[in-house]
């Protein structure tokens, strides 16, 4: 979706956004996410996203949280056959914003359910979304079963080593 008619994708104060329990949602074309688009077989896709602010009672009082959800389907490149591979995106990430320069709370380091994110100023929601999708992508995507790629127009091309075998002479000359 283009920038027209879409709420701002920049959150000027993410801490206030969280404490006021605000929410944003939208849809973004993969072509608007250049780092992600470079890693795909096809950029003909869109991702639906939402970002919700919340607070939780923590050790040091009320703490802000941001919950990012992303859904859609991307076309990755299979590492075996180099063909397209449909990869369903279904992410839900809970983030604890931390002001730049402040230490990450110890309990967050031990909790795998929440990830700390250092924020210095504005929060670009699309950059955050792109980061989270890139982190979730498989390192080497592959089909369960696929054929190895073959050169175009060479369905039954003879092995180049067959020609070498014929130059070698008779099979008894070893």
């Amino acid at each position: 979706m283009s920038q027209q008619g879409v709420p701002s994708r920049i959150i000027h104060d993410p801490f206030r956004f969280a404490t006021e329990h605000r929410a944003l949602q939208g849809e973004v074309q993969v072509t608007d996410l250049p780092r992600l688009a470079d890693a795909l077989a096809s950029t003909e896709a869109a991702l639906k996203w939402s970002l919700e602010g919340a607070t939780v009672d923590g050790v040091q009082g009320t703490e802000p949280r941001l919950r990012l959800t992303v859904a859609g389907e991307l076309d990755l490149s299979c590492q075996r056959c180099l063909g397209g591979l449909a990869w369903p995106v279904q992410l839900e990430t809970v983030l604890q914003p931390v002001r730049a320069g402040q230490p990450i709370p110890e309990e967050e380091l031990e909790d795998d359910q929440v990830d700390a994110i250092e924020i210095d100023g504005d929060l670009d929601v699309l950059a955050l979304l792109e980061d989270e999708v890139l982190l979730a992508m498989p390192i080497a995507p592959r089909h369960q079963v696929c054929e190895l790629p073959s050169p175009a127009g060479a369905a039954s091309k003879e092995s180049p080593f067959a020609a070498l075998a014929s130059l070698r002479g008779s099979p008894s000359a070893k």
Side-chain angles (χ1 to χ4, degrees), residues 7-50:
S8 174
R9 294 174 177 164
I10 303 292
I11 299 175
H12 296 293
D13 186 352
F15 299 93
R16 184 174 169 192
F17 181 90
T19 57
E20 292 177 354
H21 299 264
R22 293 180 15 208
L24 284 176
Q25 62 184 14
E27 185 173 292
V28 62
Q29 295 297 317
V30 171
T31 54
D32 293 335
L33 307 170
R35 292 178 297 141
L36 179 60
D38 285 346
L40 301 176
S42 169
T43 57
E44 297 297 317
L47 297 172
K48 292 183 183 208
W49 60 270
S50 70

Side-chain angles (χ1 to χ4, degrees), residues 5-172:
V6 176
S8 174
R9 294 174 177 164
I10 303 292
I11 299 175
H12 296 293
D13 186 352
F15 299 93
R16 184 174 169 192
F17 181 90
T19 57
E20 292 177 354
H21 299 264
R22 293 180 15 208
L24 284 176
Q25 62 184 14
E27 185 173 292
V28 62
Q29 295 297 317
V30 171
T31 54
D32 293 335
L33 307 170
R35 292 178 297 141
L36 179 60
D38 285 346
L40 301 176
S42 169
T43 57
E44 297 297 317
L47 297 172
K48 292 183 183 208
W49 60 270
S50 70
L51 184 69
E52 299 171 3
T55 54
V56 297
D57 293 330
V59 178
Q60 301 174 356
T62 303
E63 297 175 350
R65 294 288 191 271
L66 299 171
R67 190 176 119 230
L68 176 68
T69 57
V70 183
E73 185 173 280
L74 298 176
D75 190 22
L76 306 181
S77 292
C78 174
Q79 297 298 300
R80 285 186 190 138
C81 70
L82 305 177
L85 170 66
W87 181 63
V89 178
Q90 194 64 41
L91 301 176
E92 183 172 331
T93 305
V94 178
L95 303 165
Q96 178 179 358
V98 176
R99 294 191 190 280
Q102 289 186 341
I104 296 173
E106 289 294 324
E107 62 274 3
E108 194 285 322
L109 295 172
E110 298 170 4
D111 185 3
D112 289 337
Q113 303 297 317
V114 179
D115 292 322
I117 180 172
E118 187 176 76
I119 298 177
D120 184 19
D122 298 342
L123 175 65
D124 183 345
V125 176
L126 293 186
L128 176 64
L129 176 151
E130 188 173 26
D131 289 343
E132 292 298 322
V133 172
L134 285 168
L135 287 170
M137 284 176 52
I139 294 170
R142 296 181 298 246
H143 292 109
Q144 291 296 326
V145 177
C146 59
E147 294 181 23
L148 294 175
S150 61
S156 62
K157 186 175 181 181
E158 187 176 314
S159 167
F161 296 105
L164 290 175
S166 68
L167 294 174
R168 211 174 95 191
S170 68
S172 61

